[in-house]
């Protein structure tokens, strides 16, 4: 585990109406704050606290529960690892295979309202549900293009009401399921138009209930209502402010600010509740606050940001400083 406070990033946070479900304004956040590198953990391997995020291609997933525990989809080790918020190893589960509780190339990971852990399993083309201690609960899916089937699903998200959304990557669509895993609806197709995707890698639910999806090949984020109706889009391929090159993981803080793992630019980009650019940070490398293929991002209740830095086989944590 490494700890440092030498990398500091200034962020200007949005003020104005929040995105709570009640429609009431949230308290205005401070006019300015900073994000600072806190720590990193992980190395290449298959021991406790080690990761194997790359095997030619790269992939990883990260999520944080209400108690601050960090769950990591350890892609090529075919397992889930659990840590506390400081990166101390707590537990792991999973082994290579296709049986209940076994995993083959897990990527997406999300926390249900009751604390269960949902895993999008790319290699087995399915979703599995576990308790927070790794006990198998349920599974659904299978390879294909029909309703409830998947082709290499990557991202997964859960609404406060328990609705489950899966980024069905190579089918270029989002699928929605109820809390039991029953199919509800699907939307999307391959292309560049509104509501179309060029590989959808991640999905996240805003505090107001909108569904955000990272549209990798089109270099953008698309926004839908909870039933899949297109609302808006932002971002374009490139390296400038608010531009995105292969956007992967996305996650919200409680105020409705969106954080994007901008994989191709080796950085994190933040947008406010109006989807306007706020700040970007990161550069290529192995040092504190640098990235080599940031693939997944998660935000905890204190607005700390966790990034799965795939080619460096580590998790980096950034904390907000008033």
């Amino acid at each position: 585990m490494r700890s440092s406070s030498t990398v500091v990033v200034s962020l200007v946070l949005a003020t104005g109406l929040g995105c709570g479900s009640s429609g009431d304004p949230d308290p205005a956040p401070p006019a300015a704050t900073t994000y600072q590198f806190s720590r990193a953990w992980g190395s290449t391997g298959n021991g406790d606290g080690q990761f194997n995020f790359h095997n030619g291609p790269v992939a990883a997933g990260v999520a944080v529960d209400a108690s601050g525990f960090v769950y990591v989809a350890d892609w090529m080790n075919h397992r889930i690892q659990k840590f506390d918020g400081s990166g101390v190893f707590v537990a792991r589960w999973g082994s290579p295979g296709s049986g209940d509780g076994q995993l083959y190339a897990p990527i997406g990971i999300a926390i249900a309202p009751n604390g269960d852990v949902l895993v999008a399993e790319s290699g087995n083309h399915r979703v599995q549900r576990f308790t927070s201690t790794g006990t198998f609960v349920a599974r659904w899916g299978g390879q294909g293009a029909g309703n409830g089937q998947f082709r290499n699903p990557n991202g997964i998200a859960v609404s406060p009401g328990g609705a489950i959304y899966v980024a069905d990557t190579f089918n270029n669509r989002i699928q929605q399921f109820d809390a039991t895993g029953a199919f509800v609806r699907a939307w999307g197709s391959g292309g560049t138009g509104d509501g179309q995707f060029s590989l959808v890698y991640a999905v996240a639910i805003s505090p107001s209930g909108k569904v955000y999806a990272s549209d990798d090949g089109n270099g953008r984020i698309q926004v839908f209502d909870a039933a899949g109706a297109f609302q808006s889009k932002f971002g374009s391929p490139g390296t400038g402010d608010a531009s995105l090159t292969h956007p992967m993981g996305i996650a919200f803080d409680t105020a409705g600010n969106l954080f994007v793992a901008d994989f191709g630019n080796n950085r994190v980009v933040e947008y406010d509740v109006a989807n306007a650019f706020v700040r970007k940070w990161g550069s290529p490398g192995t040092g504190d606050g640098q990235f080599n293929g940031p693939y997944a991002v998660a935000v905890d209740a204190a607005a700390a940001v966790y990034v799965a830095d795939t080619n460096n086989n580590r998790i980096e944590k950034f904390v907000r400083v008033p």
Side-chain angles (χ1 to χ4, degrees), residues 134-148:
T135 300
F136 171 81
V137 176
R139 63 176 169 85
W140 66 91
Q143 187 172 10
N147 292 339

Side-chain angles (χ1 to χ4, degrees), residues 64-65 68 70 85 252-254 298-306 317-319:
V64 187
D65 71 13
V70 180
F252 285 95
D253 67 15
T254 57
V299 187
D300 69 17
V305 177
Y306 301 81
K317 179 179 180 179
F318 300 84
V319 295

Side-chain angles (χ1 to χ4, degrees), residues 193-286:
D194 294 345
Q196 294 185 308
F197 301 106
S198 179
L199 299 181
V200 53
Y201 270 95
V203 61
I205 312 302
S206 75
S208 64
K210 289 188 171 63
V211 180
Y212 283 60
S214 63
D215 187 3
D216 168 53
N218 289 322
R220 65 187 180 182
I221 306 299
Q222 294 199 65
V223 186
F224 304 88
D225 70 15
F230 175 82
Q231 304 290 294
S232 63
K233 61 187 176 186
F234 56 96
S236 60
T239 60
D241 289 351
S243 296
L244 299 167
T245 300
H246 301 298
M248 296 291 184
I250 55 177
F252 285 95
D253 67 15
T254 57
N257 300 297
L258 178 71
F259 298 83
V260 180
D262 188 7
F263 181 87
N265 287 321
N266 284 302
R267 65 188 184 184
V268 173
V269 182
E270 184 191 359
Y271 299 86
D272 67 15
V273 295
N275 303 331
F277 170 79
V278 175
R279 183 68 65 174
K280 56 181 172 17
W281 78 86
S283 61
T286 60

Side-chain angles (χ1 to χ4, degrees), residues 1-3 36-41 62-72 81-91 298-307 315-319:
M1 182 185 300
R2 291 176 294 163
S3 179
Q36 138 179 323
F37 174 84
S38 172
R39 66 189 71 240
W41 69 89
V62 61
V64 187
D65 71 13
S67 298
F69 288 106
V70 180
Y71 299 80
V72 179
Q81 294 198 67
K82 180 178 180 178
F83 303 87
D84 70 15
S86 297
V88 176
F89 175 82
V90 174
V299 187
D300 69 17
V305 177
Y306 301 81
V307 182
I315 301 296
E316 291 196 76
K317 179 179 180 179
F318 300 84
V319 295

